[in-house]
Every structure is written in C-alpha cells, then in structure tokens.
Amino acid sequence: MEGDDCSFPPDLSDNHSQRGSVASSATLSRAAQDVLVYLFGESAVHLSLEGLSSVTVQELGHSVREALQVPESVQDAFSFWLCSPLLELQLKTRHRPYKLCRQWQDLLYRFTDASEEDILQDEPYLQYRRNVFYPKAKELQIDDEGVLRLLYEEARSNILSGRYPCDPEHWTALGALSVALEEGTALNDEQVITTIREKKLSSFLPAHVVMGSGGFFSTLRGKSSHQTDLEQKLLSEYRKISSSTGNSPEPQQLLHQYLNMCHMLPFYGCAFFFGEIDKPAQGLLQRGKRKSVNIGICLDGVYVMDAKEKHVLLGLRFNELSWDHSNPEEEGDSHILWLEFDGEEDGTPVNKLLKIYSKQAQLMSGFIEFCVELKSASEGGAAAEADTETDTEASVSQRPAEQEGSTKNGRGGRRVKLQRQGSVVCSRVHSLNTISYVNNGKEIKRLKPKRAASFFTRQASAPSYSAVQVTDSQEQG
C-alpha cells in the first residue's frame, strides 16, 4: 500500500525505542549509523548514513541505486517499503523511514487486528522492491541484468510463497526456468534430478504444491511418489528450455522468459492487504464464519484471493466494479470494503456486493481511487499501449472495446459480467457469500433466496438495474 494514503499519526516522543533494520540507536545525532536495506533473495545493502532521522526516501534511494548499480533510466521501477508480517507500506520519496519506524506500533493498532503482544514484538524492516505503480510494459523493456534479477527474485519469492497463485503448467515452467538460471541449461537428466534434490523442491516450486493435500498419514504414504512426480515434471520442462535456448543462453533471455510468464498473472505487481469475507452459509451451525483473504490491488484491478487454498475468489478490473468503504458506527462493528459488480441470480441480472472485513478498508479504498486516476490518465495519453500488454490469456475477464474507459468508483458505465472458469487465477463467484440487489423501477431491493421451483419461472426479459450506493441498511448483510 502507498504510505501516503495512511494519514500517518504525529511523530512519537523520543523516549520510544526505534526498531527494525533502520537503526540500532535511538539518538538523533549527526553521527553515522548503520542501515540495512533488504532485498528479495536473502541479501541486503549495508549503508552507513549520517543524520539518519532526517534522511528521506529520495536521499536513501540515491545511495541504494549507487550500491546496486541501478541505471537512472529505470529508477522508478523500484520503491522503498516498510514491511513486517503484519503490515506492508510503500513509501513516497518525501517520507523519512526512521520516523515511520518510530510510529510503527501506532500504525499496527490502527490498520491491523493483531494482538497487543504481537504488536509489541513486531519489528519492521526496510525493503527495496518493485514499485506497484510501475507499468508492466516498461518493465518488459528493461535489459539490465542486475535490475532484471531484482525483479526476478521478487517474482520468484511471490510464486514460491503462494502469494501469486498459478496453475500447474505455470509453476512447473517457472520452476524449470529457476533451475536453468541457477545451474545453466547444459545439465543432463541425472544432474537435473540431483540438483533438485540437493536444493529441495521448495526452492523451485510453491510450498503448498510441494506439501500436497490430504491428511498427515496420506501425506507420508504418498510423499515419495508425489515428489518423484514433481521432479519429473520439472525435468520435462527443463528439457524444453534447454532445447529451445541452447547450452549457453544469455541470462537476460531466461530472466525475460520468467518475468513474461509472471506478467500473464493478472495480479502481478499488486500491493497486498489482509482481510476476511463471510463464508457461504452451510446450515444453521455454519453461519457467521469467515474466511481469510489476501486482497491484491494494482493498476489493472482488484483481486481477492483465498489465503489458505491459494486461488482467486474474485478478480475485477476497474471498469467492472464500484467500491466504497464504511467505518464502524458501534462497538463490535467492523471496517468494511464494499466491492460491487454485475452478476446473475436465477437468471435475473443483479448487482452483487461483497463485504471485505478489514481495518485496512480505508487504505484499500484510497489505493483503488489512486490507481483508477493513474490508469485514466495513462489511457488518455501515450501510455495507452501499456494497457494492451496486460490483457493476457490468464486475465480474469476481457474488456469489450467500448468499455476501455474507467471512471471514478466505476460508476458511469455498464460493467462487464464475470465468467467463471477453472483456472486458479479466474474468479469463483459461485463460492462467495454476496448480497444481491435488483432495481424494480422505484428502488433497489435485496433479492431473497428463492425455492428450487422458481428456476422454472424465470422472466423472459431481465429488468433494468443500476449501481447501488452502500447504505447503513445494506450493511446488515
């Protein structure tokens, strides 16, 4: 998320300890202090800076780019983030990391549901990683090997952790490309299998894929055959890479292949937020339960992902949705991000509302608005070509030509109806517990569940409907 959208609280008093990778001293003197800026791939840039308390992201960026030899022409591809398991913030050039670290506990209380104990123990670290606002089209034009490796390590980390859900054909090809990048393309079959076993499958494939499914005992019984199957799949893909690239391909060629395949994932480059959604009711005893989700937001749209199952539940481009957020009015209420999109209920076109419970709802709403504004500006100028690069086969839905334009909050044009597909990167609208509304000509009314017999009484012509405004009465759903 963009740090500027947080409305950071005032600086804390100097008697609070300063934590994380930014400094080990609480003094504000001009003496040089050590700073660690972490990178993906288990490495870091070690700097020694004077006047750390007043150093801005812009000043820090110059030192890091010099250390990493990042060309000035691609400096916008990266940004600084303050990260921990509880919260991730992309910083603006004017921000001062030292001061934000001193406010970290306040930010956690405000934007997370973490316990007091977890908040007190949490420590942020400063990370240099991809700028969420950097267009994919520009990324494809980068030829510098060092920059490509930074992007590769970040994408690889997101693939292995399951943050970027992908289908078997994708994670197998990506894993084989990682083998080729690390070991070259001249290995024979025995060497490939030996390398995979020495470095472990989890170095090349997502952790949830390596673990497999099933209970403890079924995992034990099938572990050997499961791993052998995965090894053979990696070997088969590695052979394809070797035959197509030869024994000595340029590293940039393999890095571009890896990133190009990641670009097929519609949520590549997203900023991620944490939240929960209602589970569909399964009887009286199953009501009121929630499911943890990750919400990815980028210049292309919003993606709600099942945090456990590692697949997309809902993917919406900005011209396919309306959104809003609401704050708690009474004790016990939740912060809610509302996503509205077109759907169908027993053959009737309806507006569907998805409630996302999250203390980061206001952040997400502001982030969506900022992305919409950026995208609208780019579509009105020469950057329109960048949008065509993001329309890939793995996209959740395709935009008709007449709906290329976006407007604020998605209101002002008919949205595209989602199509359910089998891929893990495609929406599973049927599995969502949504609120459905239809316009009967006078007012927006909530649709009540119908009996099975109503299947035979569908109307021949669908009633007209329009985007709904979130009101207090709707929050009861």
Side-chain angles (χ1 to χ4, degrees):
M1 71 189 84
E2 185 75 1
D4 193 52
D5 295 325
C6 297
S7 299
F8 289 122
D11 293 343
L12 302 182
S13 59
D14 290 345
N15 60 353
H16 284 259
S17 63
Q18 200 276 333
R19 302 164 296 124
S21 62
V22 176
S24 58
S25 172
T27 63
L28 302 179
S29 66
R30 301 293 297 180
Q33 297 182 24
D34 292 336
V35 177
L36 283 178
V37 179
Y38 290 91
L39 309 172
F40 281 96
E42 300 182 356
S43 59
V45 177
H46 187 184
L47 302 174
S48 182
L49 300 174
E50 295 183 354
L52 183 61
S53 63
S54 60
V55 171
T56 65
V57 165
Q58 184 173 12
E59 295 166 340
L60 191 61
H62 178 76
S63 299
V64 171
R65 289 194 299 272
E66 185 177 15
L68 296 175
Q69 298 182 343
V70 175
E72 292 294 322
S73 59
V74 295
Q75 62 177 334
D76 292 338
F78 300 97
S79 184
F80 287 91
W81 294 65
L82 274 182
C83 304
S84 83
L86 301 180
L87 186 63
E88 298 180 357
L89 291 173
Q90 178 173 316
L91 308 183
K92 284 185 173 290
T93 55
R94 60 179 172 77
H95 283 144
R96 299 177 181 180
Y98 178 91
K99 291 191 174 182
L100 296 183
C101 276
R102 292 173 62 81
Q103 302 170 34
W104 193 249
Q105 289 185 6
D106 278 3
L107 295 174
L108 295 181
Y109 279 117
R110 183 176 178 183
F111 297 121
T112 76
D113 290 310
S115 66
E116 183 174 359
E117 181 181 359
D118 288 341
I119 289 176
L120 292 176
Q121 294 180 355
D122 192 62
E123 293 189 2
Y125 58 92
L126 192 60
Q127 190 171 45
Y128 190 66
R129 59 197 252 195
R130 190 183 188 280
N131 177 4
V132 71
F133 303 118
Y134 195 72
K136 296 179 188 177
K138 286 188 176 181
E139 185 175 302
L140 293 173
Q141 299 171 8
I142 297 175
D143 291 321
D144 185 88
E145 182 181 348
V147 173
L148 289 173
R149 283 197 177 274
L150 290 174
L151 295 169
Y152 158 75
E153 289 291 353
E154 179 171 351
R156 177 173 174 268
S157 175
N158 286 327
I159 292 291
L160 296 182
S161 67
R163 175 167 273 194
Y164 288 171
C166 55
D167 294 313
E169 61 268 24
H170 284 105
W171 49 250
T172 304
L174 291 171
L177 280 169
S178 290
V179 176
L181 278 163
E182 294 183 15
E183 304 296 331
T185 57
L187 302 182
N188 59 37
D189 291 1
E190 183 179 352
Q191 291 172 324
V192 172
I193 297 299
T194 299
T195 297
I196 293 173
R197 291 177 177 175
E198 287 179 349
K199 295 193 173 183
K200 297 184 179 181
L201 278 168
S202 56
S203 298
F204 305 106
L205 299 177
H208 66 280
V209 171
V210 176
M211 290 296 295
S213 59
F216 176 73
F217 291 106
S218 64
T219 301
L220 286 179
R221 287 194 299 268
K223 183 176 181 180
S224 178
S225 60
H226 176 64
Q227 291 195 348
T228 300
D229 180 55
L230 293 177
E231 290 171 357
Q232 291 302 315
K233 288 180 178 179
L234 279 177
L235 175 60
S236 177
E237 286 296 325
Y238 179 85
R239 290 171 181 163
K240 295 178 183 178
I241 295 171
S242 297
S243 62
S244 64
T245 61
N247 290 337
S248 301
E250 292 292 329
Q252 290 92 327
Q253 180 182 353
L254 297 176
L255 291 167
H256 272 133
Q257 279 187 247
Y258 194 100
L259 293 173
N260 286 343
M261 190 166 292
C262 288
H263 284 193
M264 296 177 66
L265 303 173
F267 37 78
Y268 173 80
C270 278
F272 285 89
F273 304 80
F274 309 108
E276 293 180 326
I277 61 174
D278 292 315
K279 287 185 176 181
Q282 298 177 348
L284 295 176
L285 299 180
Q286 295 295 322
R287 295 180 181 273
K289 292 190 175 182
R290 294 180 182 177
K291 174 186 296 186
S292 296
V293 293
N294 296 326
I295 305 96
I297 304 174
C298 63
L299 292 176
D300 295 325
V302 181
Y303 302 90
V304 182
M305 309 176 197
D306 191 311
K308 180 180 179 182
E309 300 298 331
K310 310 299 182 185
H311 59 227
V312 174
L313 295 169
L314 181 65
L316 297 168
R317 293 184 182 273
F318 292 126
N319 66 313
E320 298 172 326
L321 66 87
S322 300
W323 81 96
D324 206 342
H325 76 277
S326 56
N327 297 317
E329 294 185 354
E330 298 179 0
E331 186 175 354
D333 289 349
S334 302
H335 297 262
I336 297 174
L337 176 71
W338 300 84
L339 296 181
E340 181 196 50
F341 55 97
D342 292 351
E344 190 175 276
E345 196 84 25
D346 287 338
T348 301
V350 298
N351 300 92
K352 285 186 172 290
L353 279 173
L354 178 66
K355 295 170 63 175
I356 301 177
Y357 304 92
S358 174
K359 291 186 75 173
Q360 299 174 6
Q362 184 177 359
L363 289 176
M364 289 187 278
S365 180
F367 198 83
I368 292 172
E369 183 170 354
F370 188 60
C371 286
V372 168
E373 291 174 353
L374 283 180
K375 191 170 181 66
S376 296
S378 68
E379 287 178 345
E385 181 181 349
D387 295 324
T388 63
E389 298 290 344
T390 62
D391 293 335
T392 64
E393 295 178 0
S395 297
V396 176
S397 57
Q398 298 293 328
R399 295 179 294 178
E402 68 270 17
Q403 292 178 337
E404 287 295 320
S406 302
T407 57
K408 185 177 179 180
N409 284 12
R411 302 181 176 95
R414 179 71 177 268
R415 297 182 299 274
V416 181
K417 188 170 74 173
L418 299 181
Q419 299 294 324
R420 177 163 61 89
Q421 302 179 37
S423 169
V424 298
V425 302
C426 293
S427 296
R428 288 164 169 75
V429 181
H430 66 289
S431 66
L432 295 174
N433 186 4
T434 57
I435 305 170
S436 298
Y437 289 85
V438 64
N439 188 347
N440 67 355
K442 295 181 180 180
E443 59 181 340
I444 302 296
K445 288 189 175 181
R446 180 173 179 176
L447 287 183
K448 297 182 179 179
K450 299 179 180 180
R451 296 182 180 180
S454 65
F455 180 85
F456 301 99
T457 60
R458 292 176 178 168
Q459 299 179 4
S461 60
S464 60
Y465 64 107
S466 60
V468 304
Q469 301 288 336
V470 176
T471 62
D472 295 339
S473 62
Q474 292 169 4
E475 294 182 21
Q476 297 174 2

